[in-house]
Amino acid sequence: MPTSTPGHVVTTVHSTQTVTVEIDGEVVARSTRPVVLYETGLPIRYYLPPEDVDLTRFEPTDTHTTCPFKGEASYWSYLGGADSAPRPDVAWEYPKPIESVPDIAGHLCFYDSVARVTIEGEPPAQPA
């Protein structure tokens, strides 16, 4: 569903691509049902259903930011693993996004500067 202002467009589309998320070589999420978000000026983002994320490896933080195109984001920190240190605010979600992007509600998205996000399969077409 697209939302836009002059020069800025946000659209989402459901995908069947396989998205794997690793932090320090450990798989922390894998999904075949991501919501793909296209936003003007930003890289494509993959929002994963919480059921496809190992939430035992994360904890919510007090960090919140606001995006005028998506709403208020809440953040999650990685608790660390056998060979990895904890990392703050590595993922975010929009628990109650604005009406124009309801598909991302409660789905998690990971910073690719911290996590290795691997995508398999053909990307869905970006809605016009």
Side-chain angles (χ1 to χ4, degrees):
M1 175 177 280
T3 183
S4 65
T5 61
H8 195 97
V9 178
V10 178
T11 57
T12 59
V13 62
H14 289 266
S15 176
T16 58
Q17 292 172 285
T18 299
V19 178
T20 304
V21 179
E22 297 175 67
I23 298 178
D24 294 335
E26 297 182 53
V27 174
V28 297
R30 181 171 283 126
S31 182
T32 57
R33 51 195 182 128
V35 175
V36 181
L37 186 133
Y38 299 94
E39 184 170 1
T40 301
L42 295 174
I44 296 170
R45 295 292 185 193
Y46 294 85
Y47 284 79
L48 309 182
E51 300 84 13
D52 297 346
V53 177
D54 182 359
L55 293 177
T56 65
R57 311 292 297 279
F58 298 89
E59 67 181 3
T61 71
D62 292 332
T63 304
H64 297 276
T65 59
T66 301
C67 171
F69 305 103
K70 295 182 288 292
E72 184 177 357
S74 298
Y75 289 77
W76 292 77
S77 288
Y78 176 62
L79 297 173
D83 296 318
S84 59
R87 296 176 187 255
D89 297 336
V90 299
W92 69 93
E93 68 170 316
Y94 290 90
K96 297 179 182 176
I98 63 173
E99 290 179 7
S100 58
V101 288
D103 295 346
I104 64 171
H107 286 49
L108 280 79
C109 188
F110 292 83
Y111 282 108
D112 52 9
S113 59
V114 176
R116 181 174 178 237
V117 180
T118 305
I119 313 300
E120 297 173 46
E122 292 298 314
Q126 183 175 353

